[in-house]
Amino acid sequence: MNILLCRTVIKECCISASLPKTEANWQYVINDLKTIEHLIQSIHMDATLYTESDAHPNCKVTAMQCFLLELRVILHESKNATIYEIIENLTMLANSNLSSIENKTELGCKECEELEEKSIKEFLKSFVHIVQMFINTS
């Protein structure tokens, strides 16, 4: 029985080890966003958040920074310890990934306050889309 368990663990390690580090981290961000969505539904939170729903690929870092700022609103509004831990982890992972990208200025991108306010559900859906943009270019 222990041998089977070890094989399972090794198999899982091999699968995750085959993903590039940055791509794996972005996948964890997506998993955290899905968990947040589930938790938000259970506490019936209905805030609206600045949401970039049509970011140009040249503005993905600016869009990501806005999403990370808006997560703080969820953190404040929910007052939920589990959501707090997930958002802290997600923010750390995203910032780690962003720090590995060249520090470049993205011109012509919308500031957070210029974005349309949307429901948390739409916010999280758009957030996942931006994360996928990073995965597809890594």
Side-chain angles (χ1 to χ4, degrees):
M1 187 163 169
N2 286 341
I3 294 172
L4 180 60
L5 179 61
C6 283
R7 285 185 183 160
T8 302
V9 170
I10 290 170
K11 183 178 178 184
E12 288 174 10
C13 291
C14 292
I15 290 169
S16 63
S18 68
L19 291 173
K21 182 178 183 263
T22 308
E23 185 177 328
N25 284 347
W26 283 126
Q27 190 57 54
Y28 292 137
V29 169
I30 289 175
N31 294 344
D32 284 347
L33 289 169
K34 290 179 180 180
T35 303
I36 290 169
E37 182 176 19
H38 177 74
L39 290 169
I40 292 294
Q41 289 174 353
S42 70
I43 62 172
H44 307 292
M45 195 174 144
D46 65 351
T48 58
L49 305 161
Y50 293 121
T51 303
E52 176 59 87
S53 52
D54 192 29
H56 187 278
N58 292 337
C59 291
K60 66 183 183 182
V61 172
T62 301
M64 179 60 71
Q65 291 168 339
C66 288
F67 278 112
L68 293 173
L69 284 172
E70 288 298 283
L71 277 180
R72 296 289 169 200
V73 174
I74 294 174
L75 195 92
H76 177 74
E77 296 273 329
S78 73
K79 297 178 178 133
N80 180 294
T82 304
I83 290 175
Y84 176 86
E85 288 175 20
I86 294 168
I87 288 176
E88 288 298 313
N89 182 61
L90 184 155
T91 303
M92 181 190 68
L93 285 170
N95 282 326
S96 168
N97 289 339
L98 289 175
S99 69
S100 68
I101 296 171
E102 279 183 33
N103 240 353
K104 62 178 183 173
T105 304
E106 295 179 323
L107 301 174
C109 303
K110 290 182 181 178
E111 297 293 324
C112 294
E113 296 78 19
E114 296 176 299
L115 301 172
E116 186 178 342
E117 289 189 52
K118 296 192 177 184
S119 70
I120 291 177
K121 186 174 181 168
E122 284 298 313
F123 171 84
L124 293 170
K125 181 181 173 185
S126 294
F127 200 154
V128 169
H129 177 73
I130 294 293
V131 172
Q132 288 169 337
M133 289 174 78
F134 281 93
I135 291 172
N136 292 336
T137 58
S138 56

